[in-house]
Amino acid sequence: MKKSVFLIIPLLTASCSKQSSEAQQMEDSLTSVVNTEVKRKDSVSKPIAEDSLQTEHVKNAGEAVKILNAEKLPCTIDQKFDAKIQKLVIRIPNYSKPSIHGSISTQNNNMNVRFNQIKLSDGTYDGPFGKEISYQIKNKGEIWLIVGKNLMAEGAVEGDFSVTVE
């Protein structure tokens, strides 16, 4: 009996230490996932720089994100739609004016691009619009102007264009 106890104790100790190392590896991988998520959130919620424009690229979604400083409006953004980028999101944090105006000018008159939607500070969306937008803003906060192709029209979906926001 004593011999069997002496054999079982080392086995139990070895199995417990193996489980703790597996738990440590799992905890380390979870920590790295959490840190990645925090970094991703931090990069999205960057403070607005002194410049009127910041650029973020969201590669997986096929969109370009531009952040405008509301105090530096009016501003013109030059953008190019290609095979990878087919959507432009213009984020304007802390927008406090009673209305917003925007227009899209294209180098190719046959280019299929428009203001698809506006996201208001309360999280609601409105749209679609055309190549110009004039919208009354009821609440202060972050406004998004979403520019993309018009699915109901024909025309080139790739090319250079400019968006002016006032």
Side-chain angles (χ1 to χ4, degrees):
M1 178 76 174
K2 289 183 181 181
K3 289 181 184 180
S4 62
V5 170
F6 288 123
L7 290 174
I8 293 176
I9 290 176
L11 290 175
L12 287 174
T13 306
S15 85
C16 288
S17 66
K18 182 179 177 184
Q19 286 178 350
S20 67
S21 69
E22 288 175 359
Q24 182 65 32
Q25 287 175 348
M26 182 180 269
E27 183 177 316
D28 289 344
S29 67
L30 286 174
T31 303
S32 69
V33 168
V34 169
N35 287 340
T36 303
E37 290 298 319
V38 168
K39 288 177 187 173
R40 196 173 299 142
K41 287 180 184 174
D42 288 347
S43 69
V44 170
S45 60
K46 291 181 203 171
I48 300 298
E50 292 299 316
D51 298 336
S52 61
L53 176 68
Q54 284 187 342
T55 302
E56 291 182 19
H57 287 284
V58 183
K59 296 176 184 175
N60 296 335
E63 65 184 34
V65 178
K66 308 282 184 176
I67 302 173
L68 295 181
N69 185 342
E71 295 174 2
K72 303 274 181 157
L73 294 178
C75 181
T76 299
I77 300 169
D78 293 320
Q79 183 64 39
K80 179 176 185 166
F81 279 174
D82 55 23
K84 294 181 181 179
I85 304 292
Q86 289 289 308
K87 184 177 178 182
L88 171 63
V89 178
I90 302 169
R91 293 177 44 198
I92 310 170
N94 302 321
Y95 193 81
S96 60
K97 296 179 182 176
S99 65
I100 190 164
H101 304 284
S103 63
I104 299 172
S105 59
T106 60
Q107 291 181 351
N108 175 3
N109 289 336
N110 194 29
M111 187 169 179
N112 178 2
V113 65
R114 69 171 179 182
F115 288 102
N116 283 339
Q117 292 182 310
I118 183 171
K119 180 182 177 190
L120 303 171
S121 60
D122 62 1
T124 60
Y125 289 84
D126 196 2
F129 304 95
K131 288 192 176 188
E132 293 189 9
I133 184 172
S134 184
Y135 201 87
Q136 298 299 316
I137 306 296
K138 296 176 184 161
N139 299 322
K140 296 178 182 180
E142 184 169 271
I143 303 296
W144 291 15
L145 296 174
I146 302 169
V147 177
K149 62 184 175 181
N150 182 351
L151 298 175
M152 303 299 286
E154 294 182 5
V157 293
E158 295 182 5
D160 295 321
F161 63 95
S162 297
V163 179
T164 301
V165 180
E166 301 175 20

